[in-house]
């Protein structure tokens, strides 16, 4: 039986992690498959993990950690919740992908739509980025317009036209923040500051004729937490309607987290399209976009907006998502989650004294 200890700053080691990282750098750019994993803003090599359970992560140097990151959002139940693992195991044994519909599609689709008052139809994809990319295409297809308004500090995945930051001035055309994005793409994106009603109205007044949608993280959580006033989000909803522009809530991180109905339900605001990711897949690669029936019926094969995926609604991923969402629907789940997020003073003292390095 292997034993794992909480490291303290003196005993913390990354010797095996360091060896693995040196090897990984031979195979993968920067040794990783997503930039934050390289620990660039943290000293030393990234920690390589071998397993996890509940709130604990176990690294390859046999150290144990409390996980405050939870895979950047998906693991709302912590690691390896038994009900999810069981369902995944049962499903995987019957086939991992069919490239055809399965009953799982209906099960999770019905579960979500029955308990979410802000959407009528949904389409599953394989990541948050893919969900956002598809939602933008849908908004453009429905409105016949091209430009997208986004907010400074909101992250929407690595979609070309959204990897754009604000320049100077109240309203500005974007400058791409990644190499490899044509200026012509960046020019279709208008960036405005968050929580600035005048800047938003100015952008809409000037560009509404060419603008398909405004996209926002209703609970911006990718740049610290830039919590918005309800009044700003309500203003945003009113103005989008007034100027004939669709409103997309990017709920890839807030969806199923601030409540089963996400930020739409929390604030009581009806967006035109909602994107999902992270929790919806219960730790497997799943994203989704959803809207009213009228909007969703523009998607192929019913409508002219093409979108497809070999592994979309993959049965194993659907099983993980379904089992996770079922847990969230247990009465009192979100109240208990809220309590866990407010550690008692004793818990804080215990962590401060434990020498835990996260
Ligand atoms: C994580 C995130 C994305 C991107 O999702 P991926 O699954 O990483 O592609 C998009 N939008 C928001 C708000 C996110 O938090």
């Amino acid at each position: 039986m292997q034993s794992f200890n909480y490291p303290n700053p003196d005993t913390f080691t990354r010797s095996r992690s360091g060896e693995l990282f040196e090897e990984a750098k031979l195979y993968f750019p920067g040794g990783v498959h997503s930039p934050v994993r390289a620990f660039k803003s943290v000293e030393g090599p990234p920690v390589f993990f071998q397993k996890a359970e509940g709130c604990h992560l176990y690294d390859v140097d046999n150290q144990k950690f409390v996980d405050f990151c939870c895979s950047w959002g998906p693991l709302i139940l912590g690691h390896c919740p038994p009900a999810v693992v069981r369902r995944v195991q049962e499903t995987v044994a019957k086939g991992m992908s069919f490239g055809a519909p399965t009953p799982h599609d209906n099960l999770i689709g019905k579960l979500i739509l029955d308990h979410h008052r802000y959407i009528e139809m949904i389409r599953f994809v394989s990541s948050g980025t893919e969900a956002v990319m598809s939602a933008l295409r849908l908004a453009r297809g429905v409105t016949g317009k091209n430009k997208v308004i986004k907010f400074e500090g909101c992250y929407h995945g690595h979609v070309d036209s959204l990897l754009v930051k604000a320049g100077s001035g109240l309203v500005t055309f974007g400058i791409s923040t990644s190499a490899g994005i044509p200026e012509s793409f960046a020019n279709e994106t208008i960036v405005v500051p968050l929580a600035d009603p005048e800047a938003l109205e100015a952008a809409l007044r000037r560009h509404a004729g060419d603008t398909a949608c405004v996209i926002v993280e209703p609970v911006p959580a990718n740049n610290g937490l830039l919590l918005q006033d309800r009044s700003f989000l309500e203003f945003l909803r009113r103005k989008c309607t007034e100027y004939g522009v669709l409103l997309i809530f990017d709920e890839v991180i807030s969806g199923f987290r601030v409540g089963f109905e996400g930020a739409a339900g929390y604030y009581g605001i009806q967006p035109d399209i909602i994107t999902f990711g992270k929790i919806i897949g219960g730790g497997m690669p799943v994203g989704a976009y959803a809207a009213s029936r009228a909007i969703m019926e523009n998607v192929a094969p019913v409508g002219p907006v093409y979108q497809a995926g070999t592994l979309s609604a993959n049965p194993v991923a659907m099983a993980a998502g379904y089992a996770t969402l079922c847990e969230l629907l247990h009465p009192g789940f979100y109240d208990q989650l809220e309590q866990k997020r407010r550690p008692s003073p004793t818990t804080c003292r215990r962590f401060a004294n434990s020498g835990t390095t996260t």
Side-chain angles (χ1 to χ4, degrees):
M1 198 49 194
Q2 239 173 338
S3 77
F4 294 87
N5 296 313
Y6 288 119
N8 66 41
D10 301 326
T11 61
F12 179 45
T13 171
R14 275 177 275 180
S15 61
R16 183 71 190 123
S17 281
E19 287 165 15
L20 287 169
F21 189 50
E22 287 309 307
E23 186 188 351
K25 283 193 285 191
L26 302 174
Y27 309 145
F28 320 120
V32 292
H33 304 277
S34 196
V36 293
R37 294 184 199 168
F39 273 39
K40 274 214 152 170
S41 47
V42 182
E43 263 178 46
V47 179
F48 279 59
F49 294 103
Q50 54 166 310
K51 63 172 187 171
E53 195 183 355
C55 67
H56 287 120
L57 283 166
Y58 301 87
D59 78 354
V60 292
D61 287 292
N62 297 337
Q63 300 166 119
K64 175 174 162 181
F65 304 85
V66 176
D67 187 2
F68 287 99
C69 182
C70 291
S71 191
W72 308 96
L75 304 180
I76 192 168
L77 303 173
H79 294 275
C80 301
V84 178
V85 172
R86 207 178 313 120
R87 186 139 199 136
V88 166
Q89 285 173 337
E90 283 163 16
T91 308
V92 80
K94 294 184 199 158
M96 292 170 70
S97 180
F98 303 101
T102 74
H104 293 99
D105 306 3
N106 295 12
L107 212 56
I108 185 169
K110 178 171 166 47
L111 185 83
I112 293 172
L113 296 173
D114 277 354
H115 295 91
H116 199 305
R117 290 165 296 170
Y118 297 82
I119 49 178
E120 292 173 350
M121 291 186 119
I122 188 163
R123 166 68 61 89
F124 288 104
V125 294
S126 300
S127 73
T129 295
E130 199 186 345
V132 169
M133 186 184 85
S134 310
L136 293 187
R137 185 179 305 140
L138 177 57
R140 286 168 164 154
V142 168
T143 59
K145 299 187 282 184
N146 288 334
K147 291 198 192 307
V148 170
I149 295 179
K150 83 173 281 285
F151 294 93
E152 234 174 280
C154 283
Y155 179 67
H156 302 292
H158 67 91
V159 183
D160 274 348
S161 60
L162 295 179
L163 274 184
V164 170
K165 70 175 181 193
S168 58
L170 261 189
V171 176
T172 172
F173 277 111
I175 311 156
S176 72
T177 50
S178 164
I181 296 175
E183 209 179 302
S184 57
F185 287 17
N187 286 345
E188 300 299 338
T189 304
I190 297 152
V191 184
V192 298
L194 264 169
D196 186 337
E198 275 138 48
L200 173 67
E201 177 124 38
L204 284 169
R205 204 178 303 122
R206 183 155 166 220
H207 299 290
D210 317 318
T211 299
C213 59
V214 178
I215 184 165
V216 67
E217 272 186 90
V219 183
N222 278 288
N223 203 345
L225 186 63
L226 307 170
L227 215 52
Q228 297 302 291
D229 275 345
R230 178 188 298 270
S231 61
F232 178 70
L233 294 170
E234 285 168 350
F235 177 82
L236 175 60
R237 173 65 277 180
R238 267 200 318 282
K239 290 295 158 184
C240 284
T241 306
E242 186 183 323
Y243 284 93
V245 165
L246 298 183
L247 175 60
I248 303 179
F249 270 12
D250 180 356
E251 298 231 43
V252 169
I253 209 163
S254 56
F256 307 105
R257 177 161 295 276
V258 297
F260 197 88
E261 294 179 312
Y266 181 84
Y267 290 112
I269 295 174
Q270 174 71 63
D272 296 298
I273 304 174
I274 305 181
T275 55
F276 300 102
K278 301 195 170 106
I279 291 173
I280 202 170
M284 300 288 279
V286 180
Y289 58 106
S292 64
R293 174 176 292 272
I295 288 181
M296 289 306 282
E297 289 198 327
N298 286 279
V299 177
V302 194
V305 178
Y306 190 73
Q307 184 271 308
T310 302
L311 291 173
S312 291
N314 170 270
V316 185
M318 293 292 98
Y322 177 75
T324 299
L325 298 180
C326 284
E327 298 291 308
L328 309 189
L329 286 168
H330 287 161
F333 174 83
Y334 286 98
D335 292 335
Q336 285 163 22
L337 184 66
E338 185 70 27
Q339 274 160 22
K340 284 181 195 146
R341 284 193 296 229
R342 294 176 196 275
S344 68
T346 25
T347 320
C348 292
R349 266 199 308 279
R350 203 165 65 235
F351 275 110
N353 295 334
S354 70
T356 301
T357 319
T358 50

